[in-house]
Amino acid sequence: MMNFKPPETKTTSSSSTAEKAFSLISKGWEEVRSSADADLQLIRNRAKELENFLNSVPTITATATTTITPGEIDFVKKLRPKLSEIRRVYSSPDFNWAPKGKLRIDLSGIKNAIVTETEDEKLGKWRRERFKDERQFGELSNWEPIRAFRNRLREMEVEIKSPNSSSPVEIFEGIKNSEFMEKVKSSFKSICKEPEESKGVPPLDVPELLAYLVRQSSPFLDQIGIRRDISDKIVESLCSKRRNKLLLRALPEGDSSLIEGDNMHDELELRIASVLQSTGHHYEGGFWSNSTKQNISDGKRHVAIVTTASLPWMTGTAVNPLFRAAYLAKSEKQNVTLLVPWLCKSDQELVYPNNLTFSSPEEQELYIRNWLEERVGFKTDFKISFYPGKFSKERRSILPTGDTTQFIPSRDADIAILEEPEHLNWYHHGKRWTDKFNHVVGIVHTNYLEYIKREKNGALQAFLVKHVNNWVTRAHCDKVLRLSAATQDLPRSVVCNVHGVNPKFLKIGEKMAAERQSGQQVFSKGAYFLGKMVWAKGYRELIDLLAKHKSDLDGFNMDVFGNGEDAHEVQTTARTLNLNVNFMKGRDHADDSLHSYKVFINPSFSDVLCTATAEALAMGKFVVCADHPSNEFFQAFPNCLTYKTSEDFVEKVKEAMTGEPRPLTPEEQYKLSWEAATQRFIEYSDLDKVLTSEKGGDRRKSRKGIGKSVSMPNLGGMVDGSLAFAQYCLTGNEFVRWCSGATPGTRDYDKQHCEDLNLLPPQVENPIYGW
């Protein structure tokens, strides 16, 4: 059975329309009545303010251009009590305001008329009904305040017309130009002043949103092969046309200095931050954020230097971090800890020269300190700690085992310096460095891509390693320093040589210069090369150059010092080609037997910044090296002779063999020193800003105090956090580690490490990362 709704009648429709019209009219009348009440109350308040103002003005003074006559002063004196009387009348508790009831209209008649009449008739009748009672509005004219005000105006008119008073023109002209009227004007201006329209920050437009999206997506774009400079150009093209206009509108008045300079990224972030702050938004952190960074409560900051090698292995990552720790601690402005790998005795025998081994970390620490203090000439005051490591024969390097971050106590987890950050984090399975430390700086020592390209399937391996290096350095470093442009361009990286030379070499150079000045012959030997004897360390380039120009360098002899895995093969190749090269065992570059050589030849293309080259220059020798980014820092020295072609190599060798090197100037000596290197490091790593910032505070503030990292979510930070989490998951799987080339058993330290370092056995399932 179906039910049908009866059709609506015309009467129902008409009645509904009438109800709506009646409701609208009633609402409008209520609004008019409320507005009238508010206006009357405002008049009352303004009259009270005017009376208080008049009472506060004891006398009326004239302006510089107008003289007030006694009659004008009398006029004002008469005006004051009259205004007081007006105020007293309508402010009395017994005073009755215009009754609301008399303004009420019987709207029932209007309602009935609307239902039966046309629209025009309805409107006309409503008007007649509204205004038919003229007595209602006549009563308003008899309202007590209005009647009193009219009476006072009549009295004023009579006084003005009296023969004894001044002319009206003079009276009002004097009042107009008086200080009293100026105060009255300013008072009324302040009363009637409309509220200032809030200067809202204009919303972001489409180009700005796209620019910010590209800016924050640069980590992802970098991973898929879109270089950072391309992303920067896209951002600049999107922002350059309107950046000045937008910043001037978005920032507070008078802060136009913020748009000075060419730092497009800072300007874009300030623009985004200002928009977010105008909305009241405050970013509290997200899923990848970590709030466990330590606040430093004692008077000093703490710097932890973590490296991948240790003495007595004479490699750059063992020597240079050691000097860095000594010179950072020398200033006594911060506490310094050097964290180096500890190898089990079996690995020590493979790595350390001359079968030198240590039975305990304390024994090795004593060896390291004695070696260092003998060279720097002052007592070193920094802590040396050890973390477990294993030597990889395939990679010819030491790999950390376990979570390296746990070997720095939480109370000292302030600033971390990662020597070779990519190497330290390839297989890192532990807490994220930037989560534990307030500021993390990476220093790139080695051009791994150049080494890998020389291996089998080198191009493919280099491609994969390049992206892995980008991955781990972005996830674990706030700033990356590259010793030269020969290294891979990593995220957040700048190029700066932050290494110096052993002070001992500078002293040797001063001694040689003094002997030469006294007329002695100090360079009695010719050319030499010193370095680890592996093909990638420049031996391939050296043998090729000498073989190609054997006839051009007739009579040229060269001595080579070094040990290494490829020593036998290198020597055999040189003998086969019948080259005039004498091979000798490796030795310290400061050895007395090397002082009398005049020319140091380094043809390597794989070096990042050759320490031996800097040491040779410090001793006042000639250096012949390739025109390569790794040698860019040395080209400013007059004794550095660079070549671009093999023919140019022959000319530079002959020039060096026949010439005399120039003694170093004091400025050149300082440039090579560790004091200058430490100063460059502090500047380029932003360590000077970090060390002077509030301990444990948020240092990432803009120039005008806009907190970019707090005001808005950082897409780059979320990408970094996700990369770190993905790495943690992957490196926790032994199969994945084995496939990627990790030494088996390096995820956790073993029993021997526990015994040597007095460690507790690692837990099988320990959520170190804290997700």
Side-chain angles (χ1 to χ4, degrees), residues 83-110:
L83 291 174
S84 300
E85 184 178 352
I86 294 173
R87 163 66 185 153
R88 188 166 53 254
V89 169
Y90 70 75
S91 63
S92 174
D94 300 330
F95 176 77
N96 293 323
W97 291 84
K100 296 181 180 179
K102 293 183 180 181
L103 298 177
R104 186 172 61 232
I105 298 176
D106 186 6
L107 299 177
S108 61
I110 298 176

Coordinates of all heavy atoms in Angstrom, one line a residue, residues 83-110:
L83 N 28.2 72.7 30.8 CA 28.4 71.3 30.4 C 28.3 70.4 31.6 O 27.8 69.2 31.5 CB 29.8 71.2 29.7 CG 29.9 71.8 28.4 CD1 31.3 71.8 27.9 CD2 29.0 71.2 27.4
S84 N 28.8 70.9 32.8 CA 28.7 70.0 34.0 C 27.2 69.8 34.3 O 26.8 68.7 34.8 CB 29.4 70.7 35.1 OG 30.8 70.9 34.8
E85 N 26.4 70.8 34.1 CA 25.0 70.7 34.4 C 24.3 69.7 33.5 O 23.5 68.9 33.9 CB 24.3 72.1 34.3 CG 22.8 72.0 34.7 CD 22.2 73.4 34.7 OE1 22.9 74.4 34.5 OE2 21.0 73.5 34.8
I86 N 24.7 69.7 32.2 CA 24.2 68.7 31.3 C 24.5 67.3 31.7 O 23.7 66.4 31.7 CB 24.7 69.0 29.9 CG1 24.2 70.3 29.3 CG2 24.3 67.9 28.9 CD1 24.8 70.7 28.0
R87 N 25.8 67.2 32.1 CA 26.3 65.9 32.6 C 25.5 65.4 33.8 O 25.1 64.2 33.9 CB 27.8 65.9 32.8 CG 28.3 64.8 33.7 CD 28.3 63.5 32.9 NE 28.7 62.4 33.8 CZ 28.3 61.2 33.7 NH1 27.4 60.9 32.7 NH2 28.7 60.2 34.4
R88 N 25.3 66.4 34.7 CA 24.6 66.0 36.0 C 23.1 65.6 35.7 O 22.6 64.7 36.4 CB 24.7 67.2 36.9 CG 24.2 66.9 38.3 CD 24.6 68.0 39.3 NE 24.2 69.3 38.9 CZ 25.1 70.2 38.4 NH1 26.4 69.9 38.3 NH2 24.7 71.4 38.0
V89 N 22.5 66.2 34.8 CA 21.1 65.9 34.5 C 20.9 64.5 33.9 O 20.2 63.7 34.4 CB 20.6 67.0 33.5 CG1 19.2 66.5 33.0 CG2 20.5 68.3 34.2
Y90 N 21.7 64.2 32.9 CA 21.4 62.9 32.2 C 22.1 61.8 32.9 O 21.9 60.6 32.6 CB 21.7 62.9 30.7 CG 23.1 63.0 30.3 CD1 23.9 61.9 30.4 CD2 23.6 64.2 29.8 CE1 25.2 62.0 30.0 CE2 24.9 64.3 29.4 CZ 25.7 63.2 29.5 OH 27.0 63.2 29.1
S91 N 23.1 62.0 33.8 CA 23.8 61.0 34.5 C 23.1 60.7 35.9 O 23.6 59.8 36.6 CB 25.2 61.3 34.7 OG 25.4 62.5 35.5
S92 N 22.1 61.4 36.2 CA 21.4 61.2 37.5 C 20.8 59.8 37.6 O 20.2 59.4 36.5 CB 20.4 62.3 37.8 OG 19.6 62.0 39.0
P93 N 20.8 59.1 38.7 CA 20.2 57.8 38.8 C 18.7 57.9 38.6 O 18.0 56.9 38.1 CB 20.5 57.3 40.2 CG 21.7 58.1 40.6 CD 21.5 59.5 40.0
D94 N 18.1 59.1 38.9 CA 16.6 59.2 38.7 C 16.2 59.5 37.3 O 15.0 59.7 36.9 CB 16.1 60.3 39.6 CG 16.4 60.0 41.1 OD1 16.4 58.8 41.4 OD2 16.6 60.9 41.9
F95 N 17.2 59.8 36.4 CA 16.9 60.2 35.0 C 16.4 59.0 34.3 O 16.9 57.8 34.4 CB 18.2 60.7 34.3 CG 18.0 61.0 32.9 CD1 17.3 62.2 32.5 CD2 18.4 60.1 31.9 CE1 17.2 62.5 31.2 CE2 18.3 60.4 30.6 CZ 17.6 61.6 30.2
N96 N 15.3 59.2 33.6 CA 14.6 58.1 32.8 C 15.0 58.3 31.3 O 14.8 59.3 30.7 CB 13.1 58.2 32.9 CG 12.7 57.9 34.4 OD1 13.3 57.0 35.0 ND2 11.6 58.6 34.8
W97 N 15.6 57.2 30.8 CA 15.9 57.2 29.4 C 14.6 57.0 28.6 O 13.6 56.6 29.2 CB 16.9 56.1 29.0 CG 18.2 56.3 29.6 CD1 18.7 56.1 30.8 CD2 19.3 56.9 28.9 NE1 20.0 56.4 31.0 CE2 20.4 57.0 29.8 CE3 19.5 57.4 27.6 CZ2 21.6 57.5 29.4 CZ3 20.7 57.9 27.2 CH2 21.8 58.0 28.2
A98 N 14.7 57.3 27.3 CA 13.5 57.1 26.5 C 13.0 55.7 26.6 O 13.7 54.7 26.3 CB 13.8 57.5 25.0
P99 N 11.7 55.5 27.1 CA 11.2 54.2 27.3 C 11.1 53.4 26.0 O 10.7 53.9 25.0 CB 9.9 54.4 27.9 CG 9.5 55.7 27.4 CD 10.7 56.6 27.3
K100 N 11.5 52.2 26.1 CA 11.5 51.3 24.9 C 10.1 51.0 24.5 O 9.8 50.8 23.3 CB 12.3 50.0 25.2 CG 13.8 50.3 25.4 CD 14.5 49.0 25.6 CE 15.9 49.2 25.9 NZ 16.7 47.9 26.1
G101 N 9.2 50.9 25.5 CA 7.8 50.5 25.2 C 7.2 51.5 24.2 O 6.3 51.1 23.4
K102 N 7.5 52.8 24.3 CA 6.8 53.7 23.5 C 7.3 53.6 22.0 O 6.7 54.2 21.1 CB 7.1 55.2 24.0 CG 6.4 55.4 25.3 CD 6.6 56.8 25.8 CE 5.9 57.1 27.1 NZ 6.1 58.4 27.6
L103 N 8.4 52.9 21.8 CA 8.8 52.7 20.4 C 8.3 51.4 19.8 O 8.7 51.1 18.7 CB 10.4 52.8 20.4 CG 11.0 54.1 20.8 CD1 12.5 53.9 20.8 CD2 10.5 55.2 20.0
R104 N 7.6 50.7 20.7 CA 7.1 49.4 20.2 C 5.9 49.5 19.3 O 5.1 50.4 19.5 CB 6.8 48.5 21.4 CG 6.4 47.1 21.0 CD 6.2 46.2 22.2 NE 5.2 46.7 23.0 CZ 5.3 46.9 24.3 NH1 6.5 46.7 24.9 NH2 4.3 47.3 25.0
I105 N 5.8 48.7 18.3 CA 4.7 48.8 17.3 C 4.0 47.5 17.3 O 4.6 46.4 17.4 CB 5.3 49.1 15.9 CG1 6.0 50.5 15.9 CG2 4.2 49.1 14.8 CD1 6.6 50.8 14.6
D106 N 2.7 47.5 17.1 CA 1.9 46.3 17.0 C 2.0 45.8 15.6 O 1.6 46.4 14.6 CB 0.4 46.6 17.3 CG -0.4 45.4 17.4 OD1 0.2 44.3 17.3 OD2 -1.6 45.5 17.5
L107 N 2.8 44.7 15.5 CA 3.1 44.2 14.2 C 2.0 43.1 13.7 O 2.2 42.6 12.6 CB 4.4 43.5 14.2 CG 5.6 44.4 14.5 CD1 6.9 43.7 14.6 CD2 5.7 45.5 13.5
S108 N 1.0 42.9 14.5 CA 0.0 41.9 14.1 C -0.7 42.3 12.9 O -1.1 41.6 12.0 CB -0.9 41.6 15.3 OG -1.6 42.8 15.7
G109 N -1.0 43.7 12.9 CA -1.7 44.2 11.7 C -0.9 44.0 10.4 O -1.4 43.8 9.4
I110 N 0.4 44.3 10.6 CA 1.3 44.1 9.4 C 1.2 42.7 8.9 O 1.2 42.4 7.7 CB 2.7 44.5 9.7 CG1 2.7 46.0 10.2 CG2 3.6 44.3 8.6 CD1 4.1 46.5 10.6

